[in-house]
């Protein structure tokens, strides 16, 4: 898997593997890590209980035939100790009796061990796991949201999520990149009652070409285009009874915006190459980091779609505006990374925390996570904080020189960032897009805007 | 700890690319080590057949079929699984033939 493929993965899940064969443990651990999971391994149930005590485990891969122990028989005990973890049984004996017993005992899935570690891991990557698999806690709704931070902004956002989640209305989440828009969508889905029983589906509107996006979203009929050899269900149909998360909706091409509006308003879609509409029942949660009002003014976004979607708008707060949460977030990522890389326990010093709090975090929480991951990877004895070059440059900005008008400050930052990006990518937009995670048209627009 | 040194680049991309390379390299090493140890497993299985220790044979075949399938050697895993299931019912000759079939698969893979 390449760097860019790995970058497109969902936020990593913590996986614990229980298998008594050391060779199997070793290859699974490597394959899981390469696929972007955090992986802990152990040979026994006792070892698993220790791991559960020390970590928040999302997923447990459990071999059924352990030395003198049965994985399936232990599932109820594991569920008691790790209420929020999902258990997947791996076994070579996939007799119907075993499958039924495993599922009855509370296993989430059962994978016959007639396939290689690589294939099992690719199957896991397709599971629709949320970042925390917590079941809904009826007594403490805040515990179900899965967002870190106790700042006023996060508290208000959590309250809004709780209020709107249970009502079957479409929602749009607006906020800068890296502020956790997908996490919020997952929280809404998790708290949405009946819909939460079916996994939420996610589509990144910027990741596909318009033609592909149309057939992915609305499906296609046989013969609709050269490669359409059979009828294909679209994501709207697949999300029936569940939630459909449309990420980066601001990137949706205009012609598709019309089709989306019809899907939202009429609750029906027209597959590519079909004249017969299909009724749909999916709740739409959309997200964007763009200013949609400006996009409307510039003719890139349909006003009617905006007003249809923005009945409920949730705003995610940039990290620089909730510095009170930085310590909690940094500690959380530090624990994750030290466990992931099996490094010794590392701690942030007061001065390091000060640096983190002073930085303006253009990449928000995602950037903080990357800084912590990089720092853990490159630290020996004590934690050496490795901010990226942008952060180091910003540290040198004299506070007196810093423009206090926010718009000017943002333009300055964007200019510095783009200059650096263009230097590193040697002016190649495709390379710049790959490094930054921004889409080529977005970079082009930023360059044009800053030039003007 | 991952087999990464500290001469990593400074950008996030460099670090992750290096990490991917480290993991890829390590996976290849582990796969090669497993492959090189396969003849040793055959020897243990042969010796269990010769010593008529069918319980040990069953357990060895169980472990061997599990690890071979995990490493992607499907055909070898099938034979080992068959041996595990027939550990108490097959004759020595049948079992030895199974080992030879696995040995041929191994030699073909090596070739």
């Amino acid at each position: 898997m390449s760097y860019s493929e790995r970058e497109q993965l969902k936020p990593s899940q913590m996986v614990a593997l229980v298998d008594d064969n050391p060779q199997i443990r070793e290859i699974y651990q490597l394959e899981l890590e390469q696929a972007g999971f955090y992986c802990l391994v152990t040979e026994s149930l006792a070892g698993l209980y220790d791991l559960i005590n020390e970590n928040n485990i999302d997923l447990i891969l459990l071999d059924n035939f352990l030395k003198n122990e049965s994985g399936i028989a232990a599932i109820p005990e594991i569920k008691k100790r790790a209420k929020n973890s999902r258990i997947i049984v791996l076994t070579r004996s996939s007799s119907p009796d075993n499958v039924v017993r495993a599922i009855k005992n509370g296993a989430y899935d059962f994978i016959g061990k007639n396939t290689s570690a690589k294939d099992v891991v690719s199957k896991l990557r397709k599971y629709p796991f949320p970042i925390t698999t917590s079941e809904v806690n009826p007594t403490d709704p805040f515990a179900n949201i899965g967002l870190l931070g106790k700042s006023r902004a996060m508290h208000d956002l959590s309250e809004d999520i709780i209020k709107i989640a249970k009502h079957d209305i479409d929602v749009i989440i607006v906020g800068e990149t890296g502020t956790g828009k997908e996490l919020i969508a997952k929280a809404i889905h998790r708290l949405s009652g009946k819909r939460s029983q079916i996994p939420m589906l996610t589509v990144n509107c910027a990741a596909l070409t318009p033609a592909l996006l149309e057939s992915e979203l609305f499906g296609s009929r046989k013969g609709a285009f050269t490669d359409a050899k059979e009828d294909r269900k679209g994501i709207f149909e697949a999300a029936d009874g569940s939630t459909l998360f449309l990420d980066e909706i601001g990137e949706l091409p205009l012609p598709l915006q019309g089709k989306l509006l019809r899907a939202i308003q009429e609750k029906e879609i027209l597959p590519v190459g079909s004249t017969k509409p299909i009724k749909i029942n999916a709740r739409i949660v959309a997200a964007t980091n763009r200013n949609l009002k400006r996009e409307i003014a510039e003719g890139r976004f349909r006003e009617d779609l905006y007003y249809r979607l923005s009945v409920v708008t949730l705003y995610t707060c940039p990290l620089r505006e909730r510095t009170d949460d930085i310590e909690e977030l940094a500690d959380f990522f530090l624990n994750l990374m030290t466990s992931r890389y099996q490094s010794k326990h590392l701690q942030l010093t007061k001065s390091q925390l000060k640096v983190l709090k002073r930085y303006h975090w253009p990449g928000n929480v995602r950037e903080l996570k990357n800084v912590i991951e990089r720092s853990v990877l490159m630290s020996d004895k004590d934690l050496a904080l490795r901010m990226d070059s942008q952060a180091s440059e910003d540290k040198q900005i004299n506070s007196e020189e810093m423009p206090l008008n926010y718009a000017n400050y943002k333009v300055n930052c964007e200019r510095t960032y783009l200059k650096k990006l263009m230097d590193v990518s040697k002016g190649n937009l495709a390379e710049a897009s790959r490094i930054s995670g921004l889409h080529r048209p977005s970079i082009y627009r930023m360059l044009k805007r800053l030039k003007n | 700890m991952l087999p990464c040194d500290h001469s990593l680049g400074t950008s996030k991309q460099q670090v992750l690319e290096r990490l991917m390379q480290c993991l890829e390299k390590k996976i290849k090493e582990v796969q090669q080590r497993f492959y090189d140890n396969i003849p040793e497993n055959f020897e243990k299985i042969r010796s269990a057949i010769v010593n008529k220790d069918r319980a040990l044979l069953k357990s060895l075949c169980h472990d061997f079929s599990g690890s071979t399938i995990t490493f992607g050697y499907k055909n070898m895993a099938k034979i080992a699984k068959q041996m595990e299931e027939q550990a108490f019912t097959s004759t020595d000759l049948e079992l030895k033939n199974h080992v030879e079939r696995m040995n041929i698969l191994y030699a073909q893979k090596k070739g």
Side-chain angles (χ1 to χ4, degrees), chain A residues 26 80 90 114 138 145 163 201 238 245 254 278 280 347 361 412 439:
Chain A
E26 192 173 15
K80 247 191 256 168
L90 292 173
N114 49 4
I145 296 178
K163 271 184 224 155
L201 294 182
F245 176 51
L254 267 173
I278 295 172
I280 49 152
Q347 249 186 327
W361 300 109
N412 268 4
H439 296 280

PDB file of all heavy atoms in Angstrom, chain A residues 26 80 90 114 138 145 163 201 238 245 254 278 280 347 361 412 439:
ATOM      1  N   GLU A  26       2.760 -12.379  14.234  1.00  0.00           N
ATOM      2  CA  GLU A  26       3.718 -11.443  13.646  1.00  0.00           C
ATOM      3  C   GLU A  26       3.229 -10.931  12.287  1.00  0.00           C
ATOM      4  O   GLU A  26       3.219  -9.723  12.040  1.00  0.00           O
ATOM      5  CB  GLU A  26       5.074 -12.152  13.496  1.00  0.00           C
ATOM      6  CG  GLU A  26       6.195 -11.190  13.171  1.00  0.00           C
ATOM      7  CD  GLU A  26       7.557 -11.848  13.181  1.00  0.00           C
ATOM      8  OE1 GLU A  26       7.630 -13.092  13.166  1.00  0.00           O
ATOM      9  OE2 GLU A  26       8.554 -11.105  13.194  1.00  0.00           O
ATOM     10  N   LYS A  80     -18.121  -8.592  28.499  1.00  0.00           N
ATOM     11  CA  LYS A  80     -18.315  -7.950  29.804  1.00  0.00           C
ATOM     12  C   LYS A  80     -17.188  -6.955  30.079  1.00  0.00           C
ATOM     13  O   LYS A  80     -17.396  -5.868  30.588  1.00  0.00           O
ATOM     14  CB  LYS A  80     -18.283  -9.033  30.900  1.00  0.00           C
ATOM     15  CG  LYS A  80     -19.638  -9.207  31.589  1.00  0.00           C
ATOM     16  CD  LYS A  80     -19.503 -10.064  32.821  1.00  0.00           C
ATOM     17  CE  LYS A  80     -20.030 -11.463  32.593  1.00  0.00           C
ATOM     18  NZ  LYS A  80     -19.682 -12.395  33.652  1.00  0.00           N
ATOM     19  N   LEU A  90     -11.859 -15.716  14.314  1.00  0.00           N
ATOM     20  CA  LEU A  90     -11.105 -16.303  13.205  1.00  0.00           C
ATOM     21  C   LEU A  90     -10.967 -17.784  13.492  1.00  0.00           C
ATOM     22  O   LEU A  90     -10.482 -18.152  14.561  1.00  0.00           O
ATOM     23  CB  LEU A  90      -9.691 -15.717  13.156  1.00  0.00           C
ATOM     24  CG  LEU A  90      -9.515 -14.258  12.783  1.00  0.00           C
ATOM     25  CD1 LEU A  90      -8.059 -13.868  12.978  1.00  0.00           C
ATOM     26  CD2 LEU A  90      -9.903 -14.026  11.344  1.00  0.00           C
ATOM     27  N   ASN A 114      -9.678 -19.597   5.995  1.00  0.00           N
ATOM     28  CA  ASN A 114      -9.233 -20.271   4.780  1.00  0.00           C
ATOM     29  C   ASN A 114      -8.713 -19.234   3.812  1.00  0.00           C
ATOM     30  O   ASN A 114      -8.775 -19.374   2.613  1.00  0.00           O
ATOM     31  CB  ASN A 114     -10.379 -21.065   4.160  1.00  0.00           C
ATOM     32  CG  ASN A 114     -11.627 -20.212   4.060  1.00  0.00           C
ATOM     33  OD1 ASN A 114     -11.590 -19.025   4.391  1.00  0.00           O
ATOM     34  ND2 ASN A 114     -12.719 -20.780   3.611  1.00  0.00           N
ATOM     35  N   PRO A 138     -27.671   5.193  27.406  1.00  0.00           N
ATOM     36  CA  PRO A 138     -28.888   5.985  27.590  1.00  0.00           C
ATOM     37  C   PRO A 138     -28.795   6.984  28.726  1.00  0.00           C
ATOM     38  O   PRO A 138     -29.511   7.969  28.753  1.00  0.00           O
ATOM     39  CB  PRO A 138     -29.957   4.928  27.875  1.00  0.00           C
ATOM     40  CG  PRO A 138     -29.220   3.727  28.361  1.00  0.00           C
ATOM     41  CD  PRO A 138     -27.864   3.779  27.764  1.00  0.00           C
ATOM     42  N   ILE A 145     -21.076  10.578  22.033  1.00  0.00           N
ATOM     43  CA  ILE A 145     -20.699  11.403  20.897  1.00  0.00           C
ATOM     44  C   ILE A 145     -19.304  11.065  20.384  1.00  0.00           C
ATOM     45  O   ILE A 145     -19.060  11.054  19.195  1.00  0.00           O
ATOM     46  CB  ILE A 145     -20.836  12.899  21.272  1.00  0.00           C
ATOM     47  CG1 ILE A 145     -22.321  13.152  21.537  1.00  0.00           C
ATOM     48  CG2 ILE A 145     -20.322  13.796  20.172  1.00  0.00           C
ATOM     49  CD1 ILE A 145     -22.651  14.521  21.956  1.00  0.00           C
ATOM     50  N   LYS A 163     -29.416  17.048  20.293  1.00  0.00           N
ATOM     51  CA  LYS A 163     -30.749  17.563  19.980  1.00  0.00           C
ATOM     52  C   LYS A 163     -31.228  17.119  18.604  1.00  0.00           C
ATOM     53  O   LYS A 163     -32.368  16.721  18.424  1.00  0.00           O
ATOM     54  CB  LYS A 163     -30.726  19.102  20.020  1.00  0.00           C
ATOM     55  CG  LYS A 163     -31.034  19.661  21.398  1.00  0.00           C
ATOM     56  CD  LYS A 163     -31.090  21.166  21.288  1.00  0.00           C
ATOM     57  CE  LYS A 163     -30.348  21.790  22.462  1.00  0.00           C
ATOM     58  NZ  LYS A 163     -29.848  23.123  22.194  1.00  0.00           N
ATOM     59  N   LEU A 201     -23.020   5.057   5.350  1.00  0.00           N
ATOM     60  CA  LEU A 201     -22.161   5.021   4.162  1.00  0.00           C
ATOM     61  C   LEU A 201     -21.584   6.411   3.923  1.00  0.00           C
ATOM     62  O   LEU A 201     -22.241   7.413   4.184  1.00  0.00           O
ATOM     63  CB  LEU A 201     -22.952   4.567   2.936  1.00  0.00           C
ATOM     64  CG  LEU A 201     -23.453   3.122   2.961  1.00  0.00           C
ATOM     65  CD1 LEU A 201     -24.167   2.784   1.669  1.00  0.00           C
ATOM     66  CD2 LEU A 201     -22.298   2.149   3.170  1.00  0.00           C
ATOM     67  N   ALA A 238     -28.148   1.829  -1.521  1.00  0.00           N
ATOM     68  CA  ALA A 238     -27.454   0.983  -0.541  1.00  0.00           C
ATOM     69  C   ALA A 238     -27.616   1.534   0.872  1.00  0.00           C
ATOM     70  O   ALA A 238     -27.553   0.793   1.852  1.00  0.00           O
ATOM     71  CB  ALA A 238     -25.981   0.870  -0.901  1.00  0.00           C
ATOM     72  N   PHE A 245     -23.368   9.871   4.346  1.00  0.00           N
ATOM     73  CA  PHE A 245     -22.523  11.031   4.641  1.00  0.00           C
ATOM     74  C   PHE A 245     -21.855  11.481   3.345  1.00  0.00           C
ATOM     75  O   PHE A 245     -21.058  10.739   2.757  1.00  0.00           O
ATOM     76  CB  PHE A 245     -21.475  10.647   5.696  1.00  0.00           C
ATOM     77  CG  PHE A 245     -20.506  11.759   5.992  1.00  0.00           C
ATOM     78  CD1 PHE A 245     -20.946  13.038   6.297  1.00  0.00           C
ATOM     79  CD2 PHE A 245     -19.129  11.524   6.001  1.00  0.00           C
ATOM     80  CE1 PHE A 245     -20.058  14.067   6.569  1.00  0.00           C
ATOM     81  CE2 PHE A 245     -18.226  12.540   6.276  1.00  0.00           C
ATOM     82  CZ  PHE A 245     -18.698  13.816   6.569  1.00  0.00           C
ATOM     83  N   LEU A 254     -21.990  20.964 -10.555  1.00  0.00           N
ATOM     84  CA  LEU A 254     -23.334  21.580 -10.635  1.00  0.00           C
ATOM     85  C   LEU A 254     -24.430  20.638 -11.157  1.00  0.00           C
ATOM     86  O   LEU A 254     -25.504  20.573 -10.563  1.00  0.00           O
ATOM     87  CB  LEU A 254     -23.266  22.845 -11.492  1.00  0.00           C
ATOM     88  CG  LEU A 254     -23.035  24.154 -10.730  1.00  0.00           C
ATOM     89  CD1 LEU A 254     -22.823  25.304 -11.698  1.00  0.00           C
ATOM     90  CD2 LEU A 254     -24.208  24.459  -9.806  1.00  0.00           C
ATOM     91  N   ILE A 278     -36.575   5.602  -8.399  1.00  0.00           N
ATOM     92  CA  ILE A 278     -36.586   4.646  -7.288  1.00  0.00           C
ATOM     93  C   ILE A 278     -36.743   5.429  -5.989  1.00  0.00           C
ATOM     94  O   ILE A 278     -36.052   6.441  -5.776  1.00  0.00           O
ATOM     95  CB  ILE A 278     -35.258   3.856  -7.243  1.00  0.00           C
ATOM     96  CG1 ILE A 278     -35.134   2.991  -8.491  1.00  0.00           C
ATOM     97  CG2 ILE A 278     -35.146   2.999  -6.000  1.00  0.00           C
ATOM     98  CD1 ILE A 278     -33.778   2.328  -8.614  1.00  0.00           C
ATOM     99  N   ILE A 280     -36.177   6.331  -2.175  1.00  0.00           N
ATOM    100  CA  ILE A 280     -35.052   6.099  -1.268  1.00  0.00           C
ATOM    101  C   ILE A 280     -35.414   6.570   0.142  1.00  0.00           C
ATOM    102  O   ILE A 280     -36.300   7.405   0.316  1.00  0.00           O
ATOM    103  CB  ILE A 280     -33.766   6.828  -1.728  1.00  0.00           C
ATOM    104  CG1 ILE A 280     -34.094   8.300  -2.043  1.00  0.00           C
ATOM    105  CG2 ILE A 280     -33.121   6.142  -2.893  1.00  0.00           C
ATOM    106  CD1 ILE A 280     -32.951   9.209  -1.861  1.00  0.00           C
ATOM    107  N   GLN A 347       5.820  11.606  27.710  1.00  0.00           N
ATOM    108  CA  GLN A 347       4.937  12.632  28.261  1.00  0.00           C
ATOM    109  C   GLN A 347       5.285  13.997  27.709  1.00  0.00           C
ATOM    110  O   GLN A 347       6.453  14.274  27.419  1.00  0.00           O
ATOM    111  CB  GLN A 347       5.091  12.651  29.777  1.00  0.00           C
ATOM    112  CG  GLN A 347       3.845  12.141  30.453  1.00  0.00           C
ATOM    113  CD  GLN A 347       3.919  12.299  31.950  1.00  0.00           C
ATOM    114  OE1 GLN A 347       5.004  12.208  32.528  1.00  0.00           O
ATOM    115  NE2 GLN A 347       2.785  12.519  32.566  1.00  0.00           N
ATOM    116  N   TRP A 361      -2.379  25.941  14.210  1.00  0.00           N
ATOM    117  CA  TRP A 361      -2.980  24.699  13.700  1.00  0.00           C
ATOM    118  C   TRP A 361      -3.864  24.872  12.467  1.00  0.00           C
ATOM    119  O   TRP A 361      -5.070  24.629  12.524  1.00  0.00           O
ATOM    120  CB  TRP A 361      -3.796  24.001  14.820  1.00  0.00           C
ATOM    121  CG  TRP A 361      -2.960  23.637  15.994  1.00  0.00           C
ATOM    122  CD1 TRP A 361      -2.985  24.202  17.220  1.00  0.00           C
ATOM    123  CD2 TRP A 361      -1.935  22.644  16.038  1.00  0.00           C
ATOM    124  NE1 TRP A 361      -2.043  23.634  18.035  1.00  0.00           N
ATOM    125  CE2 TRP A 361      -1.386  22.667  17.328  1.00  0.00           C
ATOM    126  CE3 TRP A 361      -1.413  21.725  15.116  1.00  0.00           C
ATOM    127  CZ2 TRP A 361      -0.339  21.839  17.727  1.00  0.00           C
ATOM    128  CZ3 TRP A 361      -0.380  20.898  15.505  1.00  0.00           C
ATOM    129  CH2 TRP A 361       0.141  20.970  16.792  1.00  0.00           C
ATOM    130  N   ASN A 412      -2.058  35.698   4.798  1.00  0.00           N
ATOM    131  CA  ASN A 412      -0.611  35.544   5.035  1.00  0.00           C
ATOM    132  C   ASN A 412      -0.237  34.079   5.202  1.00  0.00           C
ATOM    133  O   ASN A 412       0.738  33.593   4.632  1.00  0.00           O
ATOM    134  CB  ASN A 412      -0.220  36.284   6.318  1.00  0.00           C
ATOM    135  CG  ASN A 412       0.214  37.696   6.006  1.00  0.00           C
ATOM    136  OD1 ASN A 412       0.144  38.120   4.861  1.00  0.00           O
ATOM    137  ND2 ASN A 412       0.654  38.417   7.031  1.00  0.00           N
ATOM    138  N   HIS A 439      -7.386  19.229  -3.239  1.00  0.00           N
ATOM    139  CA  HIS A 439      -7.641  18.868  -4.622  1.00  0.00           C
ATOM    140  C   HIS A 439      -7.023  19.902  -5.550  1.00  0.00           C
ATOM    141  O   HIS A 439      -6.914  21.065  -5.201  1.00  0.00           O
ATOM    142  CB  HIS A 439      -9.136  18.739  -4.860  1.00  0.00           C
ATOM    143  CG  HIS A 439      -9.692  17.641  -4.048  1.00  0.00           C
ATOM    144  ND1 HIS A 439      -9.589  16.338  -4.422  1.00  0.00           N
ATOM    145  CD2 HIS A 439     -10.255  17.640  -2.822  1.00  0.00           C
ATOM    146  CE1 HIS A 439     -10.095  15.584  -3.483  1.00  0.00           C
ATOM    147  NE2 HIS A 439     -10.506  16.346  -2.497  1.00  0.00           N
TER     148      HIS A 439
END
